[in-house]
Structure formats: structure tokens, C-alpha cells
């Protein structure tokens, strides 16, 4: 019978990815590494904290675009609920705004999905050792792009604008007056250089500000 050469102490990894095939492939490839063990897999952002509390991973590998809750929001949740868990963002969307938000949420690393699995495994080990690992090209782009011009409330108003929500709907959701919502939306439209709130939402998403 073949011997399992996995070290006694493996790096425990939680994997959050909404595409089942991608999640399974990542889990399989990472599981081939002798010192990495995938201890939890989830497909939605609102499942991350509960899974982490149950499995106690050393590193959480999170996508950004997840149903229920974004990986960026979940990263901030993990910092509060499971502070010993290091967060590594792995995404298709290498947007400068996403990188800044990930760092603000306490992530220890940010990589795009087009790299080899060996680099991902090395990044997992590096963030566990206390390093910060960021895709070099994305880091340079983030520095040149500058911070998001949107305030937190302007982001909230734009996020609440999807699916044809009216100003009244947004006001009720955010517990604000309709005039205040209009002011936030008008300011966001001006800052994004767009003509209306739907264009502002698209522009802000393209920059990774939402």
C-alpha cells in the first residue's frame, strides 16, 4: 500500500469559488501539494464565515464575485470572526479598485486566476508565513489608478440601484430620505463622468469601486 507523504502539519485551506468545476479543479490540484489540505469548499460568500468557524483554516482562498456576499466583504468578516485565518483573494477580475478594497478588508494577498497552480501554492505558503503577496502588474496599475473617488454612501446608493430600483426603493433600503439618495447618486454620476446612474454603476464596477 502506498504511503501518504503529506507532512504531519499541513496548511489548512478554505476554498470559496462559485463555479463548481473550477472549485473542484482547484481543490484537486492544491490537494496534490504535499503540505496543503483543502478542509472546506463553499460556493457562496455568505457561507464563508460559518465554514471557517467550523473547519478553522489557516488560509481562506476567496473569489470576489460570489452569490450572497462578495469575497471582499467576506474577507472583512473573517478578520473579525476568524482573525487567525489569512485571506488570499483569487479572481478573474484584476481591477485596481478591487485590490485596494481587498487590502482595506485585511486580505494578505491578491492574485488573478491565469497563473500556474505552483504559484498559487507558493502564495498560500507565503501569506501563511506573514508575507503580503500581490500580482505585480496589478499592484502597478493600482498605484497609477489612485483611490476610489466614491464615498461609502455613494457606493451604497449605486449598489442599491441595480435591477431597476427606484429612488424610493433605494431610500427605503438604505434608511435615507429620497432627496439624500438623489444627492448621492448625482455626486456618483459626476465622479464617474457618466450620464445616469446605470452608466455610473457600470463604470464603477469596471474600475472595481463596487
Amino acid at each position: 500500500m502506498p504511503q501518504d507523504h503529506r507532512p504531519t502539519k499541513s496548511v489548512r485551506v478554505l476554498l470559496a469559488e462559485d463555479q463548481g468545476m473550477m472549485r473542484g479543479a482547484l481543490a484537486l490540484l492544491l490537494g496534490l501539494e504535499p503540505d496543503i489540505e483543502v478542509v472546506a469548499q463553499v460556493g457562496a460568500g455568505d457561507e464563508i464565515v460559518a465554514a471557517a468557524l467550523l473547519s478553522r483554516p489557516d488560509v481562506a482562498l476567496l473569489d470576489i464575485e460570489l452569490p450572497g456576499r462578495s469575497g471582499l466583504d467576506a474577507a472583512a468578516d473573517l478578520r473579525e470572526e476568524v482573525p487567525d485565518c489569512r485571506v488570499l483573494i483569487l479572481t478573474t477580475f484584476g481591477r485596481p479598485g478591487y485590490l485596494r478594497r481587498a487590502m482595506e478588508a485585511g486580505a494578505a494577498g491578491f492574485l488573478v486566476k491565469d497563473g500556474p497552480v505552483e504559484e498559487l501554492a507558493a502564495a498560500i505558503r507565503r501569506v501563511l508565513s506573514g508575507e503580503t503577496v500581490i500580482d505585480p502588474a496589478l499592484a502597478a496599475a493600482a498605484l497609477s489608478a489612485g483611490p476610489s473617488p466614491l464615498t461609502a454612501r455613494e457606493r451604497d446608493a449605486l449598489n442599491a440601484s441595480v435591477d431597476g430600483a427606484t429612488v424610493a426603493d433605494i431610500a427605503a433600503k438604505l434608511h435615507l430620505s429620497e432627496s439624500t439618495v438623489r444627492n448621492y447618486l448625482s455626486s456618483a454620476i459626476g465622479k464617474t463622468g457618466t450620464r445616469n446612474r446605470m452608466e455610473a454603476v457600470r463604470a464603477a464596477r469596471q474600475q472595481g469601486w463596487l
Side-chain angles (χ1 to χ4, degrees), residues 152-167:
R153 275 308 198 178
E154 288 164 357
R155 289 198 305 269
D156 290 341
L158 286 180
N159 275 320
S161 295
V162 297
D163 301 326
T166 65
V167 169

Side-chain angles (χ1 to χ4, degrees), residues 24-162:
L26 279 173
L28 178 62
L29 291 170
L30 289 174
L32 295 175
E33 297 291 318
D35 59 340
I36 294 176
E37 179 184 4
V38 177
V39 296
Q41 300 180 46
V42 299
D46 50 9
E47 299 173 354
I48 290 172
V49 171
L53 289 169
L54 185 64
S55 62
R56 292 292 171 179
D58 301 306
V59 177
L61 189 60
L62 310 182
D63 194 3
I64 291 179
E65 301 287 348
L66 294 169
R69 193 160 177 77
S70 79
L72 298 175
D73 291 333
D77 296 339
L78 287 173
R79 181 172 57 183
E80 297 295 325
E81 300 289 338
V82 195
D84 292 337
C85 177
R86 303 277 283 172
V87 172
L88 179 59
I89 300 293
L90 180 68
T91 182
T92 305
F93 305 102
R95 297 169 182 165
Y98 279 164
L99 172 57
R100 287 183 175 273
R101 291 171 58 198
M103 296 300 103
E104 291 169 0
F110 194 109
L111 298 175
V112 292
K113 290 179 180 177
D114 58 1
V117 71
E118 293 82 8
E119 287 186 8
L120 176 58
I124 290 172
R125 299 181 187 105
R126 289 173 63 191
V127 298
L128 184 61
S129 70
E131 293 184 51
T132 298
V133 181
I134 299 174
D135 180 89
L138 187 57
L143 287 173
S144 62
S148 168
L150 302 175
T151 67
R153 275 308 198 178
E154 288 164 357
R155 289 198 305 269
D156 290 341
L158 286 180
N159 275 320
S161 295
V162 297

Side-chain angles (χ1 to χ4, degrees), residues 6-45:
R6 186 183 299 275
T8 304
K9 176 61 175 175
S10 295
V11 181
R12 297 170 60 82
V13 173
L14 178 150
L15 179 59
E17 162 64 54
D18 64 325
Q19 297 182 23
M21 186 175 295
M22 173 68 76
R23 185 171 65 247
L26 279 173
L28 178 62
L29 291 170
L30 289 174
L32 295 175
E33 297 291 318
D35 59 340
I36 294 176
E37 179 184 4
V38 177
V39 296
Q41 300 180 46
V42 299

